Amino acid sequence: MKLSIIGSGYVGLVTGACFAEVGHHVMCVDNNPKKIAMLVAGEIPIYEPGLEELVTRNMASKRLMFTTSIKEGVDHGEVIFIAVPTPPQADGSVDLSYIEAVAREIAGVLQEYRVIVDKSTVPVKTGEKVAETIRRYNKTASSFDVVSNPEFLREGCAVADLMKPDRIVIGSNNDRAIALMKKIYEPFMAPILVTDINSAELIKHAANSFLALKISYINAVAAICEASGADVEKVADGIGADKRIGRNFLNAGIGYGGSCFPKDIAAFISISRQLGVPFTLLEEVERINASALERFLAKAREALWVLRDKKIAVWGLTFKPDTDDIRCSVAMDLVVELLREGAHVTVYDPKGMDKAKELGTIAGASFATFPLQAAEDAEALIIATEWKEFANVDLLALKKIMHTPLVFDGRNSLHPDVVREAGFTYYSVGRV
């Protein structure tokens, strides 16, 4: 099939590359000429495992193309996916100006039947607004259908998630549109759930909110474990062994972050308020998440007494491993707070340092080229992102170069007994 993806960020680019991989002819559109020029030149603007190979292979086979022209995209694709940003506003609601702008641009060049698909995470009833906007600004009265097809991609394993999805959600009441969507996803061999468009839009926000709730729940349990001398890892194993609950997302730490969870939880709270049914449980999820980092920092303050002028190494800047994404990263928030309190901070991250330097919010920190360099002569080491290389560190080499063998593990990456046997004073989350 001929498909177009408007927006070539994390979701759009991965979706386009994977659709091309299964045989579709995909045109990715973006209004950033620099980004499109990079992609045409074979350069990938984001880090995502497996993505570069997919893009290179499918560009060579002529199944994946890039352009800045909305008209080219609309003319090319039988189905047009909208995958543009939906950033949060100050009150937690979603900024839909990018969606509205794309809908207007599509309307301006639409000549024949197309299926317009909301791939971006949007509030319920957005599909109705997209359809209304296209009808309003389309001068040729062309026929079209709007479909909701939320993405469930996890950064760091987005290619695998799209190639082997748990489920595919298609929100539409039109048989023609549903048939085209099913044809697109036929090669993926995954369960397809067909719903009305409003239900499909709610599924994404509800799913992410539930996962965030699990994270905040285990972080609340971690605080009780620390107060009682219990081990949150063992508690989580016991909880997760229940098939009704499952072990995933029951990992205690310094809180969730990233481009999805904080934004989606805030949006769902805002949506519920607008609908007159406040979702107060999610407000508590937000509060617990914010308190996780503060409780962790309190341990560092207590152990170090004063943070000012202390030399502290931080391993990890991205919000999770296997990505270069630092958006709403708790690790970045941690570094910002350490700098604010006057600490001398040296950071290392396998993939996120270039973007951290560009952002500039931790300009006061020093950037190391490898983990042990960051820890050299440090009075404390903080593990803020659970990269595998941090879990596999040579503890004896680390101890030799640190001024004080003091480790604060914000992601429970290391085994307490092993670290302490190596001569470290060790603090983690929910484990004594």
Side-chain angles (χ1 to χ4, degrees):
M1 293 179 67
K2 290 184 175 181
L3 310 175
S4 293
I5 317 282
I6 300 177
S8 298
Y10 280 92
V11 173
L13 186 56
V14 173
T15 301
C18 290
F19 281 167
E21 180 70 8
V22 299
H24 299 307
H25 295 270
V26 182
M27 180 173 286
C28 288
V29 183
D30 201 280
N31 64 358
N32 184 335
K34 183 179 178 182
K35 181 188 290 186
I36 292 298
M38 286 179 65
L39 289 165
V40 169
E43 300 175 33
I44 310 300
I46 58 175
Y47 173 74
E48 183 65 39
L51 180 59
E52 185 172 357
E53 294 87 344
L54 279 188
V55 171
T56 300
R57 181 163 59 247
N58 286 286
M59 285 180 66
S61 67
K62 309 297 184 185
R63 288 195 301 268
L64 184 61
M65 301 165 285
F66 300 97
T67 181
T68 58
S69 170
I70 287 276
K71 185 177 189 311
E72 280 187 58
V74 173
D75 289 346
H76 170 84
E78 302 168 69
V79 180
I80 301 161
F81 291 81
I82 301 176
V84 297
T86 52
Q89 301 191 99
D91 63 354
S93 63
V94 179
D95 179 357
L96 294 172
S97 59
Y98 297 99
I99 298 281
E100 196 265 355
V102 168
R104 287 185 65 164
E105 288 188 77
I106 290 172
V109 296
L110 188 65
Q111 298 290 330
E112 54 186 315
Y113 179 78
R114 292 289 185 266
V115 175
I116 315 299
V117 182
D118 269 335
K119 197 69 174 167
S120 304
T121 301
V122 295
V124 63
K125 295 186 176 293
T126 298
E128 297 174 4
K129 292 295 185 181
V130 169
E132 180 183 315
T133 298
I134 294 174
R135 282 193 296 268
R136 180 179 300 149
Y137 292 101
N138 180 241
K139 304 301 181 185
T140 59
S142 301
S143 62
F144 66 92
D145 285 300
V146 173
V147 170
S148 175
N149 175 221
E151 52 85 15
F152 301 100
L153 307 182
R154 297 168 298 166
E155 288 183 37
C157 46
V159 170
D161 286 345
L162 207 150
M163 296 302 290
K164 296 181 179 180
D166 292 331
R167 79 290 203 194
I168 294 157
V169 176
I170 298 170
S172 174
N173 294 321
N174 182 275
D175 290 341
R176 182 180 181 183
I178 292 169
L180 284 170
M181 294 298 294
K182 285 184 174 180
K183 186 178 176 183
I184 291 171
Y185 284 107
E186 191 174 295
F188 294 92
M189 304 293 291
I192 293 178
L193 173 65
V194 177
T195 74
D196 61 277
I197 194 167
N198 288 347
S199 295
E201 290 171 336
L202 268 178
I203 285 169
K204 178 60 187 291
H205 274 124
N208 275 1
S209 296
F210 188 81
L211 295 176
L213 185 151
K214 287 187 75 173
I215 296 169
S216 284
Y217 178 83
I218 201 64
N219 277 332
V221 170
I224 297 171
C225 287
E226 290 177 5
S228 64
D231 185 328
V232 74
E233 297 288 316
K234 293 184 174 69
V235 173
D237 288 342
I239 296 170
D242 189 325
K243 293 178 181 178
R244 297 168 301 174
I245 298 173
R247 185 62 172 81
N248 289 339
F249 289 86
L250 288 178
N251 296 310
I254 53 176
Y256 61 75
S259 62
C260 291
F261 280 8
K263 173 175 73 74
D264 290 352
I265 278 66
F268 208 12
I269 291 170
S270 176
I271 291 165
S272 69
R273 287 173 180 162
Q274 291 171 20
L275 293 172
V277 281
F279 206 155
T280 53
L281 175 61
L282 289 187
E283 294 174 16
E284 185 63 12
V285 167
E286 282 191 319
R287 190 198 66 76
I288 294 170
N289 192 60
S291 69
L293 177 59
E294 183 51 41
R295 283 197 305 109
F296 184 77
L297 282 168
K299 293 179 188 177
R301 293 188 191 101
E302 182 177 357
L304 292 168
W305 191 22
V306 176
L307 294 183
R308 180 170 298 281
D309 293 329
K310 292 291 193 306
K311 187 172 183 180
I312 299 175
V314 176
W315 286 356
L317 293 174
T318 56
F319 82 95
K320 63 179 291 188
D322 297 318
T323 180
D324 61 352
D325 196 350
I326 59 170
R327 290 176 293 177
C328 294
S329 169
V330 180
M332 291 286 289
D333 293 341
L334 183 148
V335 175
V336 168
E337 180 61 22
L338 292 175
L339 292 170
R340 189 188 70 79
E341 295 192 33
H344 301 298
V345 184
T346 303
V347 300
Y348 171 77
D349 187 279
K351 296 294 180 182
M353 291 199 294
D354 287 344
K355 289 192 173 178
K357 290 174 185 176
E358 290 173 13
L359 186 63
T361 56
I362 60 169
S366 300
F367 291 79
T369 55
F370 54 92
L372 291 183
Q373 183 187 47
E376 189 171 354
D377 203 33
E379 295 169 78
L381 165 65
I382 296 176
I383 301 176
T385 309
E386 60 272 35
W387 287 91
K388 286 183 181 178
E389 67 181 271
F390 302 158
N392 297 325
V393 65
D394 183 335
L395 291 172
L396 295 180
L398 178 63
K399 186 172 183 291
K400 284 181 181 179
I401 63 169
M402 289 185 67
H403 184 277
T404 310
L406 183 59
V407 174
F408 297 90
D409 187 352
R411 297 299 181 184
N412 291 353
S413 297
L414 306 177
H415 193 285
D417 292 342
V418 173
V419 183
R420 287 171 182 143
E421 285 173 9
F424 288 87
T425 301
Y426 178 74
Y427 298 86
S428 57
V429 179
R431 303 183 297 182
V432 178

